[in-house]
Amino acid sequence: QVQLVESGGGLVQAGGSLRLSCAASGRTFSRYGMGWFRQAPGKEREFVAAINWSGKSTYYIDSVKGRFTISRDNAKNTVYLQMNSLKPEDTAVYYCAARLATTTQASVMPPDGMDYWGKGTLVTVSS
């Protein structure tokens, strides 16, 4: 069992930055690939970024490439999402999720394929 708790959300002006954290319980964190997802009001949850179990492989959707950076610290059981140059369209509840690693390469993660979810943290970007 893995429990995930996100933090770091808040209100920021367009062009600003936030760093989200996701703390995981348990001793097997390094066995999981991790993903960040977001859900805007009235929209479906969408995949944003992924990182493989070692942290050496990452994957992003096009709309956040060059602005967001996913990373992890397995010693601290934590995954991060550094978000720079934020835009109003980035406004959403952000969730982290874990999936037992079966490959070494990070790739898109369908939401229904994840094993564990956090409860989310709200990011609001004002124009």
Side-chain angles (χ1 to χ4, degrees):
Q1 189 80 358
V2 176
Q3 293 184 330
L4 303 172
V5 179
E6 302 94 338
S7 61
L11 174 63
V12 64
Q13 289 188 335
S17 298
L18 283 174
R19 188 175 83 154
L20 306 184
S21 299
C22 173
S25 66
R27 299 179 181 178
T28 60
F29 177 69
S30 62
R31 295 175 58 191
Y32 289 84
M34 299 297 297
W36 282 98
F37 298 76
R38 65 187 179 187
Q39 188 166 17
K43 295 188 177 180
E44 293 187 353
R45 191 170 300 188
E46 72 167 339
F47 164 77
V48 175
I51 190 166
N52 78 329
W53 65 272
S54 69
K56 293 182 179 181
S57 177
T58 58
Y59 186 93
Y60 302 90
I61 58 173
D62 287 344
S63 60
V64 308
K65 281 181 182 176
R67 300 190 299 122
F68 290 11
T69 302
I70 188 171
S71 61
R72 67 189 295 163
D73 185 338
N74 286 344
K76 295 183 178 179
N77 280 13
T78 302
V79 63
Y80 305 96
L81 186 68
Q82 177 66 44
M83 305 186 296
N84 299 327
S85 302
L86 282 161
K87 303 176 181 180
E89 51 263 43
D90 294 319
T91 294
V93 177
Y94 282 73
Y95 301 87
C96 69
R99 183 177 72 186
L100 194 64
T102 57
T103 66
T104 58
Q105 194 74 13
S107 63
V108 64
M109 289 177 154
D112 59 3
M114 306 307 290
D115 297 318
Y116 301 101
W117 288 89
K119 294 184 177 181
T121 186
L122 177 62
V123 172
T124 304
V125 184
S126 63
S127 57

